[in-house]
Each structure stands twice: as structure tokens, then as C-alpha cells.
Amino acid sequence: MSTINIKRVKTSEIELKDRLVSIQRVAKVTKGGRTFSFSAIVVVGDEHGVVGYGLGKAKEVTEAIAKGIDDAKKNLVKVPIINNTIPHDQIGKFSGGFVYIKPAANGTGVIAGGAMRAVLESAGVHNVLAKSKGSSNPHNVVKATVSALAQLRDAHTVAQQRGVSLSKVFNG
């Protein structure tokens, strides 16, 4: 799929919940000693198909988280959710992180690790199977997961893009 149709969302009309994925203490060594700062990866979502991620850096933890939330609100994407799961299998990639997400039956729950779980739950996906390969770096995993979610298309979108009826999409 050469064109990824990312559906941007305005933050004003939705209420977002934030989740802290990872926080890192970073040291810069100077001649006067070490200077510490913090970087935080935050995922925000309304749990009804809208999700975004952000990175915040600051001298204090709370400031880094607040900056991350502000950054995440600027990078929101719309995710198609059908029956509390995703419409089809999808592979996402960012740098060295590979992510595979697959729809699951009702009652399965979110079977995903760490950073992927935060993104999928913030998006509002309740039943999904997921596997992370390659890099386990939270930055790459979060970005690969959002990439995979942004590439998802529901049947109505596919029919509209192909210029055919909805029954033609399913029946061939």
C-alpha cells in the first residue's frame, strides 16, 4: 500500500485519556559533572478509535510528561474499529521495530506486550492479538503500532477507494 491515508483528528471536540509508556533519565556529562534530564513517551486516546503518541523532554519528570501529552494531542489518528476489534491483519514498521496486529474474537482481550498494549487500549481496541518483532525499544514499538493502526481500512473505505459497491468488496 503506497499511500497511507492518515485521518487527522481535531482535539477540541473529544476527551482524551493519557497513558505513560516509558520514562527515561538521560545524563549529559559536562566538566562540572552530570546534568540529568528526563524524556517521556506518552500515548493519548479517547478509547473510541482515536489515538496519538508524543515525546516530551524536560529537566523535571512532570514537565516532560506534560510536554509529551501536548505533543501527542498534535499527532492524533482515527482508527476503524468493528465489533471491538480491528478490521483485518496489519503489519507496521518503524526503524527496527516490526509489529503485527490481528483481529480476535469477542472475549479474547488485548494480547500484546508493554508499549503496544498502551497504544491499542488507548485506541479502544478490546480484542486483538499482537506480536512485536525486532526492536523492543518503546519509541520504535509505539511508532510502529500507530503506523499499523493508521494503515487499517474498513470495508466502506475500501469500496469507496475502488469505486465499487460494498457487496462487490465481499463477494468479488
Side-chain angles (χ1 to χ4, degrees):
M1 208 171 93
S2 60
T3 57
I4 300 171
N5 52 347
I6 297 175
K7 302 133 214 138
R8 295 277 178 203
V9 180
K10 299 276 189 236
T11 58
S12 56
E13 65 265 5
I14 52 177
E15 188 173 323
L16 300 168
K17 297 177 184 166
D18 55 271
R19 287 173 195 243
L20 182 65
V21 175
S22 168
I23 190 145
Q24 303 288 324
R25 188 180 78 168
V26 183
K28 180 173 99 172
V29 180
T30 61
K31 69 176 184 181
R34 294 185 187 96
T35 307
F36 294 108
S37 64
F38 297 89
S39 70
I41 310 167
V42 182
V43 174
V44 298
D46 68 346
E47 297 179 352
H48 295 290
V50 175
V51 69
Y53 67 91
L55 175 65
K57 298 178 180 181
K59 298 277 184 194
E60 298 291 327
V61 175
T62 51
E63 289 176 35
I65 294 170
K67 285 183 181 181
I69 292 169
D70 291 341
D71 188 33
K73 288 180 180 177
K74 295 174 188 171
N75 299 320
L76 294 176
V77 293
K78 184 91 175 94
V79 179
I81 296 174
I82 299 163
N83 298 331
N84 292 327
T85 189
I86 56 177
H88 56 84
D89 297 23
Q90 188 64 52
I91 294 173
K93 181 184 181 305
F94 184 85
S95 187
F98 294 89
V99 160
Y100 175 67
I101 54 177
K102 181 179 174 181
N106 259 347
T108 305
V110 177
I111 299 178
M116 285 179 71
R117 176 178 288 274
V119 175
L120 293 167
E121 287 177 350
S122 293
V125 182
H126 296 298
N127 301 301
V128 68
L129 302 169
K131 181 66 183 167
S132 173
K133 289 188 167 189
S135 173
S136 61
N137 181 346
H139 291 268
N140 291 339
V141 173
V142 166
K143 290 174 185 175
T145 307
V146 171
S147 166
L149 291 174
Q151 292 175 40
L152 291 173
R153 302 183 301 169
D154 61 346
H156 296 289
T157 309
V158 172
Q160 190 177 21
Q161 287 174 344
R162 293 181 187 172
V164 296
S165 67
L166 196 59
S167 61
K168 182 96 169 144
V169 171
F170 287 112
N171 300 330

